[in-house]
Protein backbone atom coordinates (compact mmCIF):
# COMPACT_ATOMS: atom_id res chain seq x y z
CA UNK A 1 0.00 0.00 0.00
CA UNK A 2 1.07 3.56 -0.66
CA UNK A 3 1.18 6.91 1.12
CA UNK A 4 0.41 9.87 -1.15
CA UNK A 5 0.88 13.48 -0.07
CA UNK A 6 -0.89 16.33 -1.83
CA UNK A 7 0.69 19.75 -1.26
CA UNK A 8 -1.92 22.39 -1.95
CA UNK A 9 -4.78 20.02 -1.12
CA UNK A 10 -7.34 22.71 -0.25
CA UNK A 11 -7.10 24.52 -3.59
CA UNK A 12 -9.19 24.35 -6.73
CA UNK A 13 -7.10 21.49 -8.14
CA UNK A 14 -6.11 19.96 -4.82
CA UNK A 15 -9.61 19.17 -3.57
CA UNK A 16 -10.96 17.24 -6.58
CA UNK A 17 -7.55 15.59 -7.05
CA UNK A 18 -7.60 14.45 -3.42
CA UNK A 19 -11.13 13.11 -3.89
CA UNK A 20 -10.01 10.98 -6.83
CA UNK A 21 -7.01 9.72 -4.86
CA UNK A 22 -9.28 8.77 -1.94
CA UNK A 23 -11.16 6.46 -4.32
CA UNK A 24 -8.00 4.64 -5.42
CA UNK A 25 -7.72 1.29 -3.58
CA UNK A 26 -3.92 1.36 -3.80
CA UNK A 27 -3.71 4.46 -1.57
CA UNK A 28 -3.48 3.45 2.07
CA UNK A 29 -2.69 6.90 3.49
CA UNK A 30 -3.74 10.17 1.88
CA UNK A 31 -1.85 13.04 3.49
CA UNK A 32 -3.19 16.53 2.75
CA UNK A 33 -1.10 19.67 3.26
CA UNK A 34 -2.06 23.28 2.75
CA UNK A 35 -1.52 26.56 4.56
CA UNK A 36 -5.28 26.82 5.22
CA UNK A 37 -8.29 24.48 5.32
CA UNK A 38 -6.32 21.23 5.10
CA UNK A 39 -8.02 19.91 8.26
CA UNK A 40 -11.46 20.62 6.85
CA UNK A 41 -10.78 18.94 3.50
CA UNK A 42 -9.29 15.94 5.31
CA UNK A 43 -12.31 15.63 7.61
CA UNK A 44 -14.67 15.82 4.65
CA UNK A 45 -12.84 13.17 2.62
CA UNK A 46 -12.39 10.90 5.63
CA UNK A 47 -16.15 10.23 5.63
CA UNK A 48 -15.91 8.48 2.25
CA UNK A 49 -16.13 4.71 2.65
CA UNK A 50 -12.86 3.69 1.00
CA UNK A 51 -9.84 2.22 2.82
CA UNK A 52 -7.43 5.16 2.59
CA UNK A 53 -6.77 6.91 5.90
CA UNK A 54 -6.86 10.68 5.44
CA UNK A 55 -4.86 13.14 7.52
CA UNK A 56 -4.78 16.92 7.27
CA UNK A 57 -1.74 19.06 7.97
CA UNK A 58 -1.54 22.86 8.09
CA UNK A 59 0.90 25.16 9.89
CA UNK A 60 -0.21 26.91 13.06
CA UNK A 61 1.69 30.03 11.98
CA UNK A 62 4.27 31.20 9.43
CA UNK A 63 7.13 29.82 11.50
CA UNK A 64 5.60 26.37 11.96
CA UNK A 65 7.47 23.80 9.85
CA UNK A 66 6.21 20.73 11.66
CA UNK A 67 3.04 20.39 9.57
CA UNK A 68 4.81 19.93 6.26
CA UNK A 69 7.30 17.52 7.84
CA UNK A 70 4.48 15.40 9.28
CA UNK A 71 2.64 15.47 5.96
CA UNK A 72 5.67 14.22 4.04
CA UNK A 73 7.15 11.70 6.49
CA UNK A 74 7.27 8.26 4.91
CA UNK A 75 5.45 9.27 1.76
CA UNK A 76 5.90 7.39 -1.51
CA UNK A 77 4.35 9.92 -3.89
CA UNK A 78 4.15 13.72 -3.60
CA UNK A 79 1.81 15.67 -5.85
CA UNK A 80 2.20 19.46 -5.91
CA UNK A 81 -0.72 21.49 -7.32
CA UNK A 82 -0.03 24.37 -4.90
CA UNK A 83 0.04 27.93 -6.22
CA UNK A 84 -2.18 30.70 -7.48
CA UNK A 85 -4.45 30.21 -10.52
CA UNK A 86 -4.35 32.18 -13.71
CA UNK A 87 -6.59 35.21 -14.10
CA UNK A 88 -7.89 36.79 -17.34
CA UNK A 89 -5.02 38.05 -19.46
CA UNK A 90 -2.45 36.26 -17.31
CA UNK A 91 -0.09 33.79 -18.94
CA UNK A 92 1.62 30.93 -17.17
CA UNK A 93 4.80 33.00 -17.19
CA UNK A 94 3.02 35.73 -15.22
CA UNK A 95 2.56 33.25 -12.41
CA UNK A 96 6.25 32.66 -12.08
CA UNK A 97 7.26 35.02 -9.28
CA UNK A 98 4.54 33.74 -6.94
CA UNK A 99 4.53 30.05 -7.72
CA UNK A 100 8.30 29.71 -8.05
CA UNK A 101 8.81 30.41 -4.36
CA UNK A 102 6.02 28.03 -3.37
CA UNK A 103 7.45 25.16 -5.41
CA UNK A 104 11.02 25.84 -4.28
CA UNK A 105 10.09 25.66 -0.61
CA UNK A 106 7.82 22.64 -0.92
CA UNK A 107 10.37 20.64 -2.92
CA UNK A 108 13.08 21.56 -0.42
CA UNK A 109 10.93 19.99 2.29
CA UNK A 110 10.39 16.90 0.15
CA UNK A 111 14.14 16.60 -0.40
CA UNK A 112 14.82 16.82 3.33
CA UNK A 113 11.96 14.63 4.57
CA UNK A 114 11.08 12.18 1.77
CA UNK A 115 14.05 12.13 -0.64
CA UNK A 116 12.99 8.83 -2.23
CA UNK A 117 9.46 9.90 -3.10
CA UNK A 118 8.21 10.32 -6.65
CA UNK A 119 7.43 14.03 -7.18
CA UNK A 120 4.67 15.14 -9.55
CA UNK A 121 4.70 18.88 -10.30
CA UNK A 122 1.41 20.44 -11.40
CA UNK A 123 2.07 24.03 -10.27
CA UNK A 124 2.36 26.43 -13.18
CA UNK A 125 4.37 27.41 -15.08
CA UNK A 126 5.45 23.77 -15.33
CA UNK A 127 8.13 24.57 -17.94
CA UNK A 128 9.95 26.51 -15.22
CA UNK A 129 8.77 24.97 -11.92
CA UNK A 130 10.11 21.51 -12.80
CA UNK A 131 13.51 23.08 -13.49
CA UNK A 132 13.24 24.79 -10.09
CA UNK A 133 12.48 21.47 -8.42
CA UNK A 134 15.47 19.82 -10.10
CA UNK A 135 17.86 22.58 -9.00
CA UNK A 136 16.59 22.42 -5.43
CA UNK A 137 17.05 18.65 -5.26
CA UNK A 138 20.52 18.97 -6.81
CA UNK A 139 21.49 21.48 -4.12
CA UNK A 140 20.32 19.07 -1.45
CA UNK A 141 22.19 16.17 -3.08
CA UNK A 142 19.08 14.01 -3.49
CA UNK A 143 18.10 14.55 -7.13
CA UNK A 144 16.78 11.44 -8.86
CA UNK A 145 15.73 12.47 -12.41
CA UNK A 146 13.72 9.27 -12.79
CA UNK A 147 11.38 10.37 -10.00
CA UNK A 148 10.71 13.98 -10.99
CA UNK A 149 7.69 14.45 -13.25
CA UNK A 150 6.19 17.55 -14.77
CA UNK A 151 2.52 16.70 -15.23
CA UNK A 152 1.54 17.64 -18.78
CA UNK A 153 -1.30 15.14 -19.06
CA UNK A 154 -3.95 17.84 -19.45
CA UNK A 155 -2.54 18.57 -22.90
CA UNK A 156 -3.13 14.94 -23.89
CA UNK A 157 -6.61 14.96 -22.34
CA UNK A 158 -7.53 18.05 -24.37
CA UNK A 159 -5.96 16.67 -27.54
CA UNK A 160 -7.99 13.47 -27.21
CA UNK A 161 -11.23 15.28 -26.36
CA UNK A 162 -11.01 17.88 -29.11
CA UNK A 163 -9.95 15.31 -31.70
CA UNK A 164 -12.87 13.11 -30.71
CA UNK A 165 -15.27 16.01 -31.22
CA UNK A 166 -13.89 16.67 -34.69
CA UNK A 167 -13.78 13.06 -35.89
CA UNK A 168 -16.84 11.67 -34.13
CA UNK A 169 -14.76 9.20 -32.14
CA UNK A 170 -14.86 8.52 -28.43
CA UNK A 171 -12.00 10.31 -26.65
CA UNK A 172 -11.42 7.18 -24.58
CA UNK A 173 -10.83 5.23 -27.79
CA UNK A 174 -8.32 7.86 -28.93
CA UNK A 175 -6.27 7.61 -25.73
CA UNK A 176 -2.98 5.90 -26.46
CA UNK A 177 -3.21 6.66 -30.17
CA UNK A 178 -1.79 10.17 -30.21
CA UNK A 179 0.95 11.92 -28.31
CA UNK A 180 1.73 15.39 -27.00
CA UNK A 181 5.34 16.43 -26.57
CA UNK A 182 7.32 19.61 -25.82
CA UNK A 183 6.23 21.62 -22.82
CA UNK A 184 3.10 22.73 -20.99
CA UNK A 185 2.23 26.24 -22.09
CA UNK A 186 0.96 27.78 -25.30
CA UNK A 187 3.14 27.16 -28.31
CA UNK A 188 5.50 24.85 -26.41
CA UNK A 189 2.74 22.21 -26.61
CA UNK A 190 3.11 19.98 -29.69
CA UNK A 191 0.30 17.50 -30.45
CA UNK A 192 1.32 14.56 -32.63
CA UNK A 193 -1.78 13.21 -34.36
CA UNK A 194 -0.21 11.02 -37.03
CA UNK A 195 0.97 8.32 -34.63
CA UNK A 196 -1.92 5.99 -35.45
CA UNK A 197 -2.95 5.25 -39.05
CA UNK A 198 -6.67 5.38 -38.24
CA UNK A 199 -6.43 8.86 -36.75
CA UNK A 200 -3.96 9.99 -39.39
CA UNK A 201 -6.40 8.97 -42.10
CA UNK A 202 -9.21 10.95 -40.49
CA UNK A 203 -7.20 14.16 -40.04
CA UNK A 204 -5.68 13.94 -43.51
CA UNK A 205 -8.98 15.28 -44.79
CA UNK A 206 -8.62 18.49 -42.78
CA UNK A 207 -7.82 21.78 -44.43
CA UNK A 208 -4.74 23.66 -43.18
CA UNK A 209 -7.01 26.07 -41.31
CA UNK A 210 -8.81 23.20 -39.56
CA UNK A 211 -5.50 21.70 -38.46
CA UNK A 212 -4.23 25.06 -37.21
CA UNK A 213 -7.46 25.67 -35.30
CA UNK A 214 -7.16 22.25 -33.63
CA UNK A 215 -3.55 22.82 -32.61
CA UNK A 216 -4.35 26.28 -31.26
CA UNK A 217 -7.21 24.93 -29.17
CA UNK A 218 -4.98 22.23 -27.67
CA UNK A 219 -2.25 24.77 -26.96
CA UNK A 220 -4.51 27.47 -25.53
CA UNK A 221 -7.38 25.45 -24.11
CA UNK A 222 -6.66 26.91 -20.70
CA UNK A 223 -7.58 30.37 -21.95
CA UNK A 224 -10.96 29.00 -22.99
CA UNK A 225 -11.66 27.95 -19.40
CA UNK A 226 -10.38 31.17 -17.84
CA UNK A 227 -12.63 33.18 -20.12
CA UNK A 228 -15.66 30.97 -19.47
CA UNK A 229 -15.20 31.36 -15.71
CA UNK A 230 -15.15 35.15 -16.08
CA UNK A 231 -11.94 35.51 -14.12
CA UNK A 232 -13.21 33.44 -11.20
CA UNK A 233 -10.77 30.61 -11.82
CA UNK A 234 -8.81 28.52 -14.29
CA UNK A 235 -8.81 24.88 -15.37
CA UNK A 236 -9.12 23.10 -12.03
CA UNK A 237 -11.45 20.14 -12.55
CA UNK A 238 -9.92 19.02 -15.85
CA UNK A 239 -6.44 19.50 -14.38
CA UNK A 240 -7.38 17.45 -11.33
CA UNK A 241 -8.55 14.65 -13.60
CA UNK A 242 -5.40 14.86 -15.72
CA UNK A 243 -3.18 14.96 -12.62
CA UNK A 244 -4.94 11.92 -11.24
CA UNK A 245 -4.61 10.07 -14.55
CA UNK A 246 -0.84 10.42 -14.40
CA UNK A 247 -0.72 9.73 -10.66
CA UNK A 248 -2.68 6.54 -11.28
CA UNK A 249 0.02 5.40 -13.70
CA UNK A 250 2.65 6.02 -11.02
CA UNK A 251 0.55 4.12 -8.47
CA UNK A 252 0.09 1.23 -10.87
CA UNK A 253 3.84 0.98 -11.28
CA UNK A 254 4.24 0.76 -7.50
CA UNK A 255 1.67 -2.01 -7.16
CA UNK A 256 3.98 -4.49 -8.89
CA UNK A 257 7.62 -3.34 -8.76
CA UNK A 258 8.69 -6.25 -10.96
CA UNK A 259 6.40 -5.22 -13.79
CA UNK A 260 8.47 -3.75 -16.66
CA UNK A 261 6.12 -0.88 -17.47
CA UNK A 262 3.00 0.65 -15.99
CA UNK A 263 1.22 1.97 -19.05
CA UNK A 264 0.04 -0.68 -21.51
CA UNK A 265 -1.44 1.74 -24.06
CA UNK A 266 0.27 1.90 -27.47
CA UNK A 267 1.38 5.48 -26.72
CA UNK A 268 2.02 6.17 -23.01
CA UNK A 269 1.25 9.57 -21.54
CA UNK A 270 4.08 12.07 -21.69
CA UNK A 271 5.80 13.82 -18.82
CA UNK A 272 8.06 16.86 -18.71
CA UNK A 273 11.36 15.36 -17.58
CA UNK A 274 15.06 16.10 -17.13
CA UNK A 275 16.54 14.41 -20.18
CA UNK A 276 20.25 14.20 -19.16
CA UNK A 277 19.24 12.08 -16.15
CA UNK A 278 17.54 9.37 -18.21
CA UNK A 279 19.14 6.54 -20.20
CA UNK A 280 19.77 7.92 -23.67
CA UNK A 281 18.34 11.28 -22.67
CA UNK A 282 21.46 13.36 -23.14
CA UNK A 283 21.96 12.03 -26.66
CA UNK A 284 18.28 12.67 -27.42
CA UNK A 285 18.60 16.22 -26.13
CA UNK A 286 21.59 17.00 -28.33
CA UNK A 287 20.36 15.28 -31.48
CA UNK A 288 16.66 16.11 -31.54
CA UNK A 289 15.85 19.13 -29.34
CA UNK A 290 18.81 21.51 -29.71
CA UNK A 291 20.28 20.68 -26.32
CA UNK A 292 17.14 21.54 -24.33
CA UNK A 293 17.40 19.66 -21.05
CA UNK A 294 13.72 19.46 -20.09
CA UNK A 295 11.20 18.13 -22.57
CA UNK A 296 7.90 16.26 -22.44
CA UNK A 297 8.15 12.77 -23.92
CA UNK A 298 6.17 9.53 -23.53
CA UNK A 299 7.51 7.72 -20.45
CA UNK A 300 7.42 4.14 -19.26
CA UNK A 301 7.42 3.55 -15.52
CA UNK A 302 8.56 0.83 -13.16
CA UNK A 303 8.40 0.90 -9.36
CA UNK A 304 7.44 4.57 -9.23
CA UNK A 305 10.13 5.89 -11.53
CA UNK A 306 10.95 6.25 -15.21
CA UNK A 307 12.43 3.07 -16.66
CA UNK A 308 12.69 4.45 -20.18
CA UNK A 309 11.19 6.98 -22.56
CA UNK A 310 10.05 6.83 -26.16
CA UNK A 311 11.85 8.91 -28.76
CA UNK A 312 8.88 10.32 -30.70
CA UNK A 313 11.09 11.51 -33.57
CA UNK A 314 12.17 7.93 -34.28
CA UNK A 315 9.13 5.97 -33.14
CA UNK A 316 6.36 8.11 -34.63
CA UNK A 317 5.74 9.72 -37.98
CA UNK A 318 6.48 13.44 -37.55
CA UNK A 319 4.96 15.68 -40.21
CA UNK A 320 6.59 18.87 -41.43
CA UNK A 321 3.92 20.87 -39.57
CA UNK A 322 4.73 19.05 -36.32
CA UNK A 323 8.45 19.55 -36.88
CA UNK A 324 7.84 23.29 -37.28
CA UNK A 325 5.77 23.35 -34.09
CA UNK A 326 8.64 21.65 -32.27
CA UNK A 327 11.13 24.26 -33.43
CA UNK A 328 8.91 27.03 -32.09
CA UNK A 329 8.47 25.14 -28.81
CA UNK A 330 12.20 24.79 -28.17
CA UNK A 331 12.82 28.53 -28.00
CA UNK A 332 10.13 29.06 -25.40
CA UNK A 333 11.23 26.04 -23.40
CA UNK A 334 14.82 27.17 -23.14
CA UNK A 335 13.77 30.57 -21.79
CA UNK A 336 11.58 28.97 -19.12
CA UNK A 337 14.26 26.48 -18.12
CA UNK A 338 16.82 29.26 -17.77
CA UNK A 339 14.35 31.28 -15.71
CA UNK A 340 13.72 28.40 -13.34
CA UNK A 341 17.35 27.44 -12.98
CA UNK A 342 18.42 31.04 -12.31
CA UNK A 343 15.71 31.48 -9.69
CA UNK A 344 17.21 28.80 -7.45
CA UNK A 345 20.76 30.07 -7.70
CA UNK A 346 21.54 31.92 -4.50
CA UNK A 347 18.41 30.63 -2.73
CA UNK A 348 18.82 29.46 0.84
CA UNK A 349 17.18 26.08 1.37
Amino acid sequence: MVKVTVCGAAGGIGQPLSLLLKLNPQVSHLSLFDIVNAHGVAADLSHICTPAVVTGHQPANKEDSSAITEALAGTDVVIIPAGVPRKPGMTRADLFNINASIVRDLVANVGKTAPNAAILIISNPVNATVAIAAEVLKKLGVFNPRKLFGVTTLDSVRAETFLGELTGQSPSAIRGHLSVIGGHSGDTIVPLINVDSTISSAVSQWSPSQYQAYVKRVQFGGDEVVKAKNGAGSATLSMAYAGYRFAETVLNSLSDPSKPVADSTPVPDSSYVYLPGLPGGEEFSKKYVNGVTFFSVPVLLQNGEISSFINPFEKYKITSEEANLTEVALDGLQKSIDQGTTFVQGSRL
Side-chain angles (χ1 to χ4, degrees):
M1 301 302 280
V2 180
K3 177 178 178 179
V4 178
T5 300
V6 180
C7 296
I13 297 172
Q15 289 198 45
L17 173 60
S18 298
L19 170 61
L20 292 169
L21 289 164
K22 178 68 168 80
L23 303 179
N24 189 301
Q26 297 182 68
V27 179
S28 57
H29 182 179
L30 181 58
S31 175
L32 307 181
F33 174 83
D34 212 318
I35 57 173
V36 294
N37 300 329
H39 294 315
V41 175
D44 197 357
L45 290 179
S46 70
H47 292 185
I48 296 174
C49 54
T50 58
V53 173
V54 185
T55 56
H57 309 268
Q58 64 189 62
N61 51 58
K62 291 183 179 180
E63 288 71 40
D64 180 15
S65 61
S66 62
I68 184 64
T69 300
E70 291 169 1
L72 291 168
T75 198
D76 301 288
V77 180
V78 180
I79 309 175
I80 304 179
V84 299
R86 284 197 295 163
K87 297 178 181 179
M90 180 185 289
T91 66
R92 287 182 172 89
D94 294 330
L95 301 178
F96 180 79
N97 287 332
I98 299 173
N99 289 352
S101 296
I102 294 172
V103 170
R104 177 196 61 197
D105 296 343
L106 286 172
V107 172
N109 278 289
V110 176
K112 295 171 184 176
T113 306
N116 295 318
I119 305 173
L120 283 60
I121 305 289
I122 293 175
S123 306
N124 274 321
V126 165
N127 293 353
T129 54
V130 177
I132 288 171
E135 288 302 308
V136 168
L137 296 170
K138 287 178 185 178
K139 275 197 164 193
L140 294 174
V142 294
F143 181 39
N144 182 349
R146 295 176 184 239
K147 288 193 171 186
L148 178 63
F149 305 92
V151 179
T152 61
T153 320
L154 181 54
D155 303 324
S156 295
V157 168
R158 286 177 173 147
E160 293 159 8
T161 301
F162 302 157
L163 189 61
E165 292 174 359
L166 292 168
T167 62
Q169 297 174 277
S170 167
S172 60
I174 293 174
R175 180 180 177 181
H177 297 278
L178 59 72
S179 186
V180 182
I181 62 172
H184 184 56
S185 69
D187 58 13
T188 69
I189 299 168
V190 182
L192 306 178
I193 56 175
N194 291 281
V195 174
D196 181 275
S197 59
T198 303
I199 295 176
S200 180
S201 176
V203 301
S204 67
Q205 307 303 314
W206 291 358
S207 67
S209 61
Q210 286 176 309
Y211 172 74
Q212 291 163 9
Y214 169 77
V215 170
K216 184 175 181 180
R217 194 178 181 205
V218 173
Q219 292 180 330
F220 297 96
D223 294 345
E224 190 175 306
V225 178
V226 171
K227 182 179 179 181
K229 290 187 175 182
N230 293 319
S234 58
T236 54
L237 299 175
S238 54
M239 184 63 249
Y241 165 76
Y244 175 74
R245 175 164 132 175
F246 191 79
E248 186 178 38
T249 302
V250 176
L251 292 170
N252 288 342
S253 76
L254 287 167
S255 67
D256 184 359
S258 64
K259 192 175 180 180
V261 298
D263 193 328
S264 60
T265 59
V267 181
D269 279 338
S270 294
S271 179
Y272 187 66
V273 296
Y274 181 66
L275 293 171
L278 305 180
E282 190 164 4
E283 293 79 6
F284 172 85
S285 170
K286 292 177 181 177
K287 184 175 180 179
Y288 293 99
V289 292
N290 296 345
V292 164
T293 52
F294 289 87
F295 197 80
S296 187
V297 289
V299 292
L300 301 174
L301 308 182
Q302 183 176 359
N303 196 23
E305 63 181 36
I306 299 168
S307 59
S308 62
F309 70 92
I310 293 174
N311 181 340
F313 302 101
E314 290 185 352
K315 182 74 172 180
Y316 310 140
K317 176 184 176 183
I318 305 294
T319 66
S320 58
E321 292 90 348
E322 292 165 349
N324 291 336
L325 290 172
T326 303
E327 284 300 314
V328 173
L330 294 177
D331 182 57
L333 285 176
Q334 190 60 61
K335 291 176 182 176
S336 293
I337 294 165
D338 291 342
Q339 185 182 32
T341 302
T342 302
F343 179 80
V344 181
Q345 294 174 356
S347 294
R348 297 180 63 182
L349 304 179

